[in-house]
Amino acid sequence: MAKPKSFEEFYYIKTGKNCNVKDVVDYANNNHGDYTPFEGAMFCPECEKAELFLVRETSDRRAHLKKKPSSSHDGTCSYIYDYASRTTIQNYVKGLTNSKIQEKLNSIMHMLFKVKNQKPNILINNNISNSKNNASPMLIPEVKKDVIELKSLRRKSLSSWIDVSDGTDLYLFYGEVKLEVVEKEKVNDGGDNYEYYLLDFE
């Protein structure tokens, strides 16, 4: 069984759109801790079925959302699966052609940005049952001793917090931002200059 997940985004039933937990935190900070307009209206950003609640910021953790124990995700939602390890992700990607990688990314983007009439995810192994073949494109197969299990990819919006606490896990980053490649120059220990490139966004 998957460990409980935390959420930085939620589906807001009052607007029919995905919002960031920062919207709730900012509202609460401006209203003496009250966030009544959001209570009972925050749901899983993927399946829109599981109800979420706010876990407030403390000295050692940032504010986030958790699933209410009495609420459940849809059976095809990726949040009910354990996260894939770095090795599982790397092995999965190595087995894909460039066209299959692009197809997978397109399917994920359709889901994250809620594009209607998306094609079903066809990149999960055919040995997995048909019910799971209709699951989230955020899922990938993990093979252990001829047993296939589905694992979930981590995701993070570029509009959310990104810091050292996210560790060294692999994430799929997404967001509606403008990206540009920035060229940098640095001097190594031997005194030689070398160039490297970073992605910058507005």
Side-chain angles (χ1 to χ4, degrees):
M1 177 179 252
K3 296 178 181 178
K5 303 289 197 307
S6 62
F7 300 78
E8 293 179 351
E9 285 193 325
F10 63 94
Y11 175 71
Y12 191 34
I13 60 171
K14 293 184 179 181
T15 62
K17 296 180 180 179
N18 282 5
C19 301
N20 195 283
V21 66
K22 187 177 182 298
D23 299 330
V24 186
V25 173
D26 288 346
Y27 184 92
N29 289 340
N30 292 326
N31 291 275
H32 311 288
D34 176 63
Y35 67 102
T36 302
F38 294 95
E39 287 186 284
M42 299 184 295
F43 290 81
C44 170
E46 182 177 323
C47 70
E48 304 174 6
K49 300 294 184 184
E51 187 176 346
L52 310 178
F53 68 94
L54 178 66
V55 178
R56 296 179 186 275
E57 183 178 10
T58 65
S59 59
D60 60 353
R61 106 189 145 199
R62 58 195 179 205
H64 59 280
L65 301 169
K66 286 275 193 182
K67 183 183 76 68
K68 285 191 173 182
S70 59
S71 187
S72 299
H73 290 282
D74 181 87
T76 60
C77 183
S78 71
Y79 281 102
I80 63 178
Y81 294 86
D82 288 324
Y83 284 128
S85 68
R86 175 184 287 267
T87 300
T88 295
I89 297 171
Q90 290 172 333
N91 289 340
Y92 175 72
V93 173
K94 285 178 184 177
L96 298 178
T97 63
N98 287 338
S99 63
K100 289 295 185 183
I101 291 173
Q102 189 60 56
E103 190 175 352
K104 180 73 167 175
L105 289 174
N106 287 341
S107 184
I108 289 171
M109 285 192 294
H110 286 162
M111 186 207 72
L112 291 175
F113 296 107
K114 300 194 180 297
V115 176
K116 302 302 182 184
N117 301 320
Q118 67 189 66
K119 294 180 180 179
N121 176 31
I122 64 170
L123 295 182
I124 295 176
N125 194 298
N126 290 332
N127 293 330
I128 300 175
S129 68
N130 288 335
S131 62
K132 289 185 177 179
N133 266 331
N134 293 322
S136 166
M138 293 298 296
L139 297 174
I140 63 172
E142 178 183 76
V143 182
K144 286 186 177 180
K145 296 180 179 178
D146 297 326
V147 177
I148 301 173
E149 293 183 1
L150 293 180
K151 299 293 182 179
S152 176
L153 298 171
R154 286 178 170 84
R155 74 193 79 178
K156 185 170 282 289
S157 170
L158 290 171
S159 63
S160 65
W161 295 289
I162 302 172
D163 57 35
V164 70
S165 67
D166 293 313
T168 58
D169 295 313
L170 292 179
Y171 284 86
L172 189 150
F173 289 96
Y174 69 97
E176 296 183 18
V177 295
K178 180 180 179 181
L179 295 172
E180 65 175 340
V181 177
V182 179
E183 183 178 323
K184 298 281 187 177
E185 190 172 288
K186 194 171 183 178
V187 180
N188 62 22
D189 293 337
D192 298 321
N193 289 353
Y194 68 93
E195 297 175 346
Y196 64 100
Y197 300 88
L198 295 175
L199 279 177
D200 195 12
F201 60 90
E202 299 177 358

